Short mmCIF file of all heavy atoms in Angstrom, two decimals:
data_model
loop_
_atom_site.label_atom_id
_atom_site.label_comp_id
_atom_site.label_asym_id
_atom_site.label_seq_id
_atom_site.Cartn_x
_atom_site.Cartn_y
_atom_site.Cartn_z
N ALA A 39 45.60 -6.70 7.20
CA ALA A 39 44.34 -7.22 7.79
C ALA A 39 44.22 -6.85 9.27
O ALA A 39 43.11 -6.83 9.74
CB ALA A 39 44.27 -8.73 7.60
N SER A 40 45.31 -6.62 9.92
CA SER A 40 45.23 -6.44 11.38
C SER A 40 44.40 -5.26 11.80
O SER A 40 43.72 -5.36 12.81
CB SER A 40 46.63 -6.32 11.96
OG SER A 40 47.32 -5.19 11.44
N PRO A 41 44.36 -4.08 11.09
CA PRO A 41 43.50 -3.02 11.57
C PRO A 41 42.02 -3.46 11.52
O PRO A 41 41.26 -3.15 12.42
CB PRO A 41 43.73 -1.89 10.54
CG PRO A 41 45.05 -2.14 9.98
CD PRO A 41 45.24 -3.66 10.01
N ALA A 42 41.64 -4.20 10.48
CA ALA A 42 40.24 -4.69 10.41
C ALA A 42 39.97 -5.70 11.51
O ALA A 42 38.88 -5.68 12.10
CB ALA A 42 39.96 -5.26 9.04
N LEU A 43 40.98 -6.54 11.77
CA LEU A 43 40.73 -7.59 12.80
C LEU A 43 40.72 -6.92 14.18
O LEU A 43 40.06 -7.37 15.03
CB LEU A 43 41.82 -8.64 12.72
CG LEU A 43 41.89 -9.50 11.44
CD1 LEU A 43 43.09 -10.38 11.43
CD2 LEU A 43 40.60 -10.32 11.37
N ALA A 44 41.54 -5.88 14.34
CA ALA A 44 41.67 -5.28 15.66
C ALA A 44 40.59 -4.24 15.91
O ALA A 44 40.44 -3.76 17.04
CB ALA A 44 43.01 -4.62 15.76
N ALA A 45 39.81 -3.87 14.85
CA ALA A 45 38.76 -2.79 15.06
C ALA A 45 37.72 -3.26 16.01
O ALA A 45 37.25 -4.40 15.96
CB ALA A 45 38.15 -2.45 13.71
N PRO A 46 37.26 -2.42 16.90
CA PRO A 46 36.22 -2.80 17.85
C PRO A 46 34.90 -3.01 17.10
O PRO A 46 34.62 -2.40 16.11
CB PRO A 46 36.13 -1.62 18.83
CG PRO A 46 36.68 -0.46 18.04
CD PRO A 46 37.65 -1.01 17.07
N ALA A 47 34.07 -3.90 17.59
CA ALA A 47 32.75 -4.18 16.98
C ALA A 47 31.90 -2.95 17.11
O ALA A 47 31.93 -2.26 18.14
CB ALA A 47 32.12 -5.36 17.72
N LYS A 48 31.13 -2.69 16.07
CA LYS A 48 30.21 -1.55 16.07
C LYS A 48 29.04 -1.85 16.93
O LYS A 48 28.51 -2.98 16.93
CB LYS A 48 29.75 -1.24 14.63
CG LYS A 48 30.83 -0.67 13.77
CD LYS A 48 30.27 -0.29 12.40
CE LYS A 48 31.37 0.28 11.54
NZ LYS A 48 30.87 0.67 10.23
N PRO A 49 28.52 -0.86 17.64
CA PRO A 49 27.32 -1.12 18.47
C PRO A 49 26.12 -1.38 17.59
O PRO A 49 26.01 -0.86 16.49
CB PRO A 49 27.16 0.12 19.33
CG PRO A 49 27.91 1.20 18.55
CD PRO A 49 29.01 0.49 17.81
N ALA A 50 25.17 -2.15 18.07
CA ALA A 50 23.94 -2.43 17.34
C ALA A 50 23.20 -1.14 17.12
O ALA A 50 23.20 -0.24 17.98
CB ALA A 50 23.11 -3.44 18.10
N PRO A 51 22.56 -0.96 15.93
CA PRO A 51 21.79 0.28 15.70
C PRO A 51 20.69 0.44 16.72
O PRO A 51 20.06 -0.52 17.14
CB PRO A 51 21.25 0.12 14.29
CG PRO A 51 21.38 -1.31 13.95
CD PRO A 51 22.46 -1.91 14.83
N LYS A 52 20.49 1.68 17.12
CA LYS A 52 19.46 1.98 18.10
C LYS A 52 18.11 1.90 17.47
O LYS A 52 17.85 2.36 16.36
CB LYS A 52 19.68 3.39 18.62
CG LYS A 52 18.88 3.77 19.81
CD LYS A 52 19.24 5.13 20.34
CE LYS A 52 18.38 5.52 21.52
NZ LYS A 52 18.72 6.83 21.97
N ALA A 53 17.17 1.19 18.14
CA ALA A 53 15.81 1.04 17.65
C ALA A 53 15.12 2.44 17.64
O ALA A 53 15.26 3.20 18.50
CB ALA A 53 15.04 0.09 18.53
N PRO A 54 14.35 2.68 16.52
CA PRO A 54 13.69 4.00 16.45
C PRO A 54 12.56 4.11 17.51
O PRO A 54 11.97 3.13 17.86
CB PRO A 54 13.07 4.00 15.05
CG PRO A 54 12.96 2.58 14.63
CD PRO A 54 14.05 1.84 15.38
N ALA A 55 12.40 5.30 17.95
CA ALA A 55 11.34 5.55 18.96
C ALA A 55 9.97 5.61 18.23
O ALA A 55 9.93 6.06 17.07
CB ALA A 55 11.60 6.89 19.66
N PRO A 56 8.91 5.17 18.84
CA PRO A 56 7.61 5.26 18.23
C PRO A 56 7.20 6.71 18.02
O PRO A 56 7.44 7.58 18.84
CB PRO A 56 6.70 4.56 19.21
CG PRO A 56 7.40 4.52 20.52
CD PRO A 56 8.86 4.62 20.23
N SER A 57 6.53 6.93 16.88
CA SER A 57 6.06 8.25 16.56
C SER A 57 4.66 8.52 17.12
O SER A 57 3.82 7.62 17.13
CB SER A 57 6.01 8.43 15.01
OG SER A 57 5.35 9.66 14.65
N THR A 58 4.42 9.73 17.55
CA THR A 58 3.12 10.11 18.03
C THR A 58 2.33 10.91 17.00
O THR A 58 1.28 11.43 17.29
CB THR A 58 3.23 10.93 19.35
OG1 THR A 58 4.03 12.07 19.05
CG2 THR A 58 3.87 10.08 20.44
N ALA A 59 2.87 11.02 15.76
CA ALA A 59 2.19 11.77 14.72
C ALA A 59 0.94 11.04 14.27
O ALA A 59 0.93 9.82 14.15
CB ALA A 59 3.14 11.93 13.48
N ILE A 60 -0.09 11.80 14.08
CA ILE A 60 -1.38 11.23 13.67
C ILE A 60 -1.44 11.24 12.10
O ILE A 60 -1.09 12.21 11.47
CB ILE A 60 -2.56 12.07 14.20
CG1 ILE A 60 -2.57 11.96 15.71
CG2 ILE A 60 -3.88 11.59 13.64
CD1 ILE A 60 -3.53 12.89 16.43
N ILE A 61 -1.77 10.09 11.54
CA ILE A 61 -1.82 9.96 10.09
C ILE A 61 -3.15 10.58 9.63
O ILE A 61 -4.23 10.22 10.13
CB ILE A 61 -1.79 8.48 9.68
CG1 ILE A 61 -0.44 7.87 10.10
CG2 ILE A 61 -1.94 8.33 8.16
CD1 ILE A 61 -0.33 6.37 9.97
N PRO A 62 -3.11 11.50 8.66
CA PRO A 62 -4.34 12.10 8.15
C PRO A 62 -5.19 11.10 7.40
O PRO A 62 -4.65 10.24 6.75
CB PRO A 62 -3.87 13.21 7.25
CG PRO A 62 -2.50 12.83 6.83
CD PRO A 62 -1.94 12.01 7.96
N VAL A 63 -6.45 11.17 7.58
CA VAL A 63 -7.42 10.29 6.85
C VAL A 63 -8.24 11.11 5.95
O VAL A 63 -8.71 12.18 6.27
CB VAL A 63 -8.33 9.57 7.93
CG1 VAL A 63 -9.36 8.69 7.25
CG2 VAL A 63 -7.48 8.73 8.88
N PRO A 64 -8.46 10.70 4.67
CA PRO A 64 -7.96 9.47 4.11
C PRO A 64 -6.48 9.58 3.85
O PRO A 64 -5.93 10.67 3.69
CB PRO A 64 -8.76 9.34 2.81
CG PRO A 64 -9.09 10.71 2.42
CD PRO A 64 -9.27 11.45 3.73
N LEU A 65 -5.84 8.42 3.76
CA LEU A 65 -4.40 8.36 3.49
C LEU A 65 -4.13 8.71 2.04
O LEU A 65 -4.60 7.99 1.13
CB LEU A 65 -3.86 6.95 3.84
CG LEU A 65 -2.37 6.78 3.69
CD1 LEU A 65 -1.62 7.69 4.66
CD2 LEU A 65 -2.01 5.33 3.98
N ASN A 66 -3.46 9.79 1.78
CA ASN A 66 -3.16 10.22 0.41
C ASN A 66 -1.63 10.14 0.16
O ASN A 66 -0.90 10.95 0.73
CB ASN A 66 -3.68 11.66 0.17
CG ASN A 66 -5.18 11.69 0.16
OD1 ASN A 66 -5.84 10.79 -0.25
ND2 ASN A 66 -5.71 12.83 0.54
N PRO A 67 -1.18 9.25 -0.67
CA PRO A 67 0.26 9.12 -0.91
C PRO A 67 0.76 10.28 -1.75
O PRO A 67 -0.03 11.04 -2.33
CB PRO A 67 0.35 7.80 -1.71
CG PRO A 67 -0.99 7.60 -2.33
CD PRO A 67 -1.98 8.22 -1.40
N ILE A 68 2.05 10.43 -1.80
CA ILE A 68 2.72 11.46 -2.63
C ILE A 68 3.39 10.77 -3.82
O ILE A 68 4.16 9.82 -3.63
CB ILE A 68 3.77 12.23 -1.78
CG1 ILE A 68 3.10 12.84 -0.54
CG2 ILE A 68 4.48 13.22 -2.62
CD1 ILE A 68 2.05 13.88 -0.84
N VAL A 69 3.06 11.21 -4.99
CA VAL A 69 3.66 10.64 -6.21
C VAL A 69 4.98 11.35 -6.51
O VAL A 69 5.08 12.56 -6.48
CB VAL A 69 2.66 10.83 -7.38
CG1 VAL A 69 3.27 10.29 -8.70
CG2 VAL A 69 1.35 10.09 -7.11
N PRO A 70 6.05 10.54 -6.83
CA PRO A 70 7.37 11.15 -7.08
C PRO A 70 7.36 12.12 -8.24
O PRO A 70 6.51 12.02 -9.17
CB PRO A 70 8.24 9.94 -7.41
CG PRO A 70 7.51 8.74 -6.93
CD PRO A 70 6.04 9.10 -6.92
N ALA A 71 8.28 13.07 -8.26
CA ALA A 71 8.39 14.09 -9.28
C ALA A 71 8.46 13.54 -10.69
O ALA A 71 7.92 14.07 -11.64
CB ALA A 71 9.57 15.01 -8.99
N THR A 72 9.22 12.41 -10.88
CA THR A 72 9.34 11.83 -12.23
C THR A 72 8.05 11.34 -12.80
O THR A 72 7.90 11.16 -14.00
CB THR A 72 10.41 10.72 -12.24
OG1 THR A 72 10.05 9.76 -11.26
CG2 THR A 72 11.77 11.25 -11.93
N GLN A 73 7.11 11.04 -11.93
CA GLN A 73 5.79 10.56 -12.41
C GLN A 73 4.78 11.66 -12.46
O GLN A 73 3.57 11.41 -12.53
CB GLN A 73 5.34 9.44 -11.50
CG GLN A 73 6.19 8.19 -11.65
CD GLN A 73 5.69 7.07 -10.73
OE1 GLN A 73 5.65 7.21 -9.50
NE2 GLN A 73 5.41 5.94 -11.29
N ARG A 74 5.27 12.87 -12.45
CA ARG A 74 4.40 14.08 -12.64
C ARG A 74 4.73 14.74 -13.94
O ARG A 74 4.31 15.87 -14.17
CB ARG A 74 4.57 15.05 -11.47
CG ARG A 74 4.16 14.47 -10.14
CD ARG A 74 4.34 15.57 -9.05
NE ARG A 74 5.18 15.06 -7.99
CZ ARG A 74 5.90 15.79 -7.23
NH1 ARG A 74 5.92 17.10 -7.34
NH2 ARG A 74 6.66 15.26 -6.26
N LEU A 75 5.55 14.09 -14.80
CA LEU A 75 5.95 14.72 -16.03
C LEU A 75 5.35 14.00 -17.25
O LEU A 75 5.14 12.78 -17.19
CB LEU A 75 7.48 14.63 -16.11
CG LEU A 75 8.27 15.28 -14.97
CD1 LEU A 75 9.75 15.02 -15.11
CD2 LEU A 75 8.00 16.77 -14.93
N CYS A 76 5.12 14.77 -18.28
CA CYS A 76 4.65 14.19 -19.56
C CYS A 76 5.67 14.53 -20.63
O CYS A 76 6.48 15.50 -20.51
CB CYS A 76 3.29 14.79 -19.95
SG CYS A 76 1.99 14.21 -18.83
N SER A 77 5.71 13.75 -21.71
CA SER A 77 6.75 13.91 -22.72
C SER A 77 6.29 14.61 -23.98
O SER A 77 7.08 15.00 -24.81
CB SER A 77 7.32 12.57 -23.14
OG SER A 77 6.30 11.69 -23.62
N ALA A 78 4.96 14.78 -24.15
CA ALA A 78 4.43 15.44 -25.35
C ALA A 78 3.29 16.31 -24.90
O ALA A 78 2.83 16.25 -23.79
CB ALA A 78 3.97 14.41 -26.35
N ALA A 79 2.80 17.17 -25.86
CA ALA A 79 1.70 18.06 -25.52
C ALA A 79 0.81 18.23 -26.81
O ALA A 79 1.37 18.21 -27.89
CB ALA A 79 2.17 19.41 -25.06
#
Side-chain angles (χ1 to χ4, degrees):
S40 63
L43 294 174
K48 291 185 180 180
K52 190 175 179 181
S57 171
T58 57
I60 297 172
I61 299 170
V63 177
L65 183 62
N66 291 329
I68 302 298
V69 177
T72 55
Q73 291 180 304
R74 295 182 236 153
L75 303 173
C76 291
S77 59

